[in-house]
Amino acid sequence: MISTLDLRPEVRDALTEIFNIGIGHAAGVLSELVNDEILLTVPELGVTPRADFVATAGALWTEPASIVRQSFQGPFRGDALLIFPARESLELVRALLAEPSPLETMSELEREALLEVGNIILNACLSCIADLLEQEITNALPLYLESDPATLVKALITDPDWYVIFLRIDFTVKRQNMRGNILFVLDVPAVTAFGAAVEKLVDHFESGP
Amino acid sequence: MTPLVPLAGTAGCEAAACVLFGAIDLADNGILVLDRGGLVVCWNAWMVRHTGLSAEQVAGRALPELFGPALSARVMAAVRNCLDHSRSHILSPSLNRQPFPLTMPGEFAERGEGIDQSVTLKPVPGVAGARFCLIQITDVSQATRRERFLRRQTTELSRAVEDLQAAKDLATRANIAKSEFLTDMSHELRSPLNAIIGFSQLLEMDQAGPLSDEQHEFVTYIHKAGDHLLKMITDILDLSKIEAKRLTLEIGEIEVDRFIHDAIKGVGGLSHTRGIAIEYAAGERPDLSIRADRTRLAQILMNLLANAIKYNRANGRVTVGVAVPLPGWVRIAVADTGPGIPLERQGELFQSFNRLGAEFGAIEGAGLGLALSRKLAELMGGAIGFRSRPGEGSTFWIDMPSAASAAAVADEPGEEESGTALPALPPLTLLYIEDNPVDLRLVEALFQAIATVRLVTARNGEEGVRLAWEQRPDIILMDIFLPGFNGFEVLARLRADPQTRTTPVVAISASALPADVARGLGAGFHKWLSKPLDIVELLTVLANLVKNCRPAPAPPPAGL
């Protein structure tokens, strides 16, 4: 059981690269879907214990957000969240749709489109984690929420031993840049497995090619 | 599949499965299940209805085999991801409009629009490592149609708003252009009216030799028509100024009793001609005073009085009264003994150019008076009202806010000398600078008959200044729009020279705009008279200037 994940720079880079490959696959699916080039990158990644994360979460999001949530189960339990500031999520979905709505708020169908986009991205990331842990993870159907992310995360993680994998993602569609976050909330067995997988990565680096 | 729990009232798993399948069949969604190999193992009644394929037809077959190329590639990608990696998927209608080629039951596939769908795929673990893909299809055609309709409506609405805004801008510009046109026209119309009214006044005064009775009558018609035309031009100009929000008011305290008294005097000529008596108990309420613009309020009251006289019966009566309808308000009411206004036409009363049955009659007017009066009263914070009963006459009233204190009312000094008798003039030299030959001729004709006045004339500003220095006139009359130096420049030159510095200068201009008048008086003109010239007014102004500016040593000689 690891208590902290003070990642070495090269391990952090390797993890970031793994997620970038997965999310690049999601970008390909989305590009095909909307018949336009979509770029997705993960420029930043962090792994934080629950207490540290909750302490800093308040400063991370200052406005209400659109959230796509996918719970997962299998050998591990947890939640995957895709978070966009509400305003940016509206811009994002309008940039993706052929017939954007002229209304000021997101329509029912636009919300569902955002849900699909979130589903594609989160599925790609979950597959990365599953591959890393060499385990099969089954996820539930995505849900759409409009909420304050910090409050939601606090409510989701009650166990102090849980960890949060935090990714920043940059989204480029039709020359518009949008920025969001992905969070994976991992239970104890998941964190343990994740720690083991990371150690394997470290070994890989130390033994060298 | 999840092991089935025996249900109450069923015998074991098999019966329970029947109940569950019955429930799946009942669902108002498409439900189908694929096995690990992607072959159909469950196909509910909704799917049968919307594909025309029975459960027997589809059992054990793969989706591409059933639907061919019409099946979206994304469905198969999601199916594979679901079966191979246990991923749940959602396929939203905006990004994938019709993943499955489905039609409404009874619709011909080639004619129908198809069904817009929201599709979800969920991995379901079975026993002994088996895995299934559960697909649910929801018909969202109504929602997409609703949203498309809403989008169209919103787009049309915003386009309509843009069009309206453009039309409004256009109308505003047109209205400003109209106001400017009216202002220009009013100026242009005043010049010919000066000749019509001026010369007819001279003829009425027998200045060019005595007229026959018939000639006199004709000249009177010309004069009256000219006055009437002038009044209409002034009213139209006022209305356009109110509409363009360019009318400025000078609100002050007005002593009601004296004000009414003056207004009644103003319509004295008309009431006398028509044989209508005006009754007003003067001095009844000496304590009341109101806040209003004196000139504009007089315009309203004179208009009400003139209407009451014009729309009266022969030998009728007009009664003016003052009352306090509410604390803080004063009402001036004008009642006539005319035919009254039919109920069905009372609503049109305050519309511009509405003359309520007088359109073809002998009563003159353009139907602007009441419309203008109401607008003026409202601008001053007051109101106009009326009560009319056919056969009994009408009462119109003005309600104005009362002034805080009735005491200390500094009434305007009386309009100096006034009246219908022509004022006498002492011997004096007049210089008139005017380029319009007709206007010049009018003033020349006027002073030909006044032996005490020596008239010198100049055709332009330069000549005017020269004559002013050479002839040392007592008073200078001057047009403003002169060739060469304009009136203001001439005035400045006169004021710069010690010899002419104090000579009174009177402007005679076709411009009657308050801004021009104020500018003229500010520049140092003693008086600003507007064309068409009122001859009596001109003579009165001259008489007052002589009296005030030059203590006349000589006794006034016999007048006209």
Side-chain angles (χ1 to χ4, degrees), chain B residues 342-355:
Chain B
L343 204 59
E344 66 274 15
R345 304 212 59 181
Q346 292 185 358
E348 307 162 30
L349 206 53
F350 290 96
Q351 293 169 3
S352 300
F353 299 103
N354 204 325
R355 300 192 53 209

Side-chain angles (χ1 to χ4, degrees), chain B residues 7 24 93 117 120 147 168 216 237 244 281 379 441 470 505 549:
Chain B
L7 300 175
I24 289 170
Q117 306 147 36
T120 53
E147 239 173 67
K168 183 174 168 273
H216 217 284
L237 189 62
L379 268 184
R441 181 77 187 90
E470 285 173 16
V505 183
C549 300

Side-chain angles (χ1 to χ4, degrees), chain B residues 458-480:
Chain B
R459 294 301 188 98
N460 57 55
E462 212 172 349
E463 189 189 359
V465 173
R466 185 173 54 77
L467 286 176
W469 289 336
E470 285 173 16
Q471 304 279 333
R472 308 284 308 279
D474 299 287
I475 298 171
I476 299 170
L477 306 175
M478 194 194 297
D479 185 26
I480 296 298

Side-chain angles (χ1 to χ4, degrees), chain B residues 161-179:
Chain B
V161 169
E162 277 170 24
D163 288 352
L164 273 179
Q165 187 59 44
K168 183 174 168 273
D169 291 347
L170 197 68
T172 308
R173 279 201 301 278
N175 202 34
I176 291 170
K178 183 199 78 182
S179 294

Side-chain angles (χ1 to χ4, degrees), chain A residues 107 112 116 119 136-137 139, chain B residues 74 87-88 92 118 131:
Chain A
S107 73
E112 199 170 325
E116 180 172 2
N119 177 231
E136 188 169 290
I137 300 175
N139 69 295
Chain B
R74 180 138 161 76
R87 295 283 161 271
S88 289
S92 69
S118 175
R131 184 181 293 159

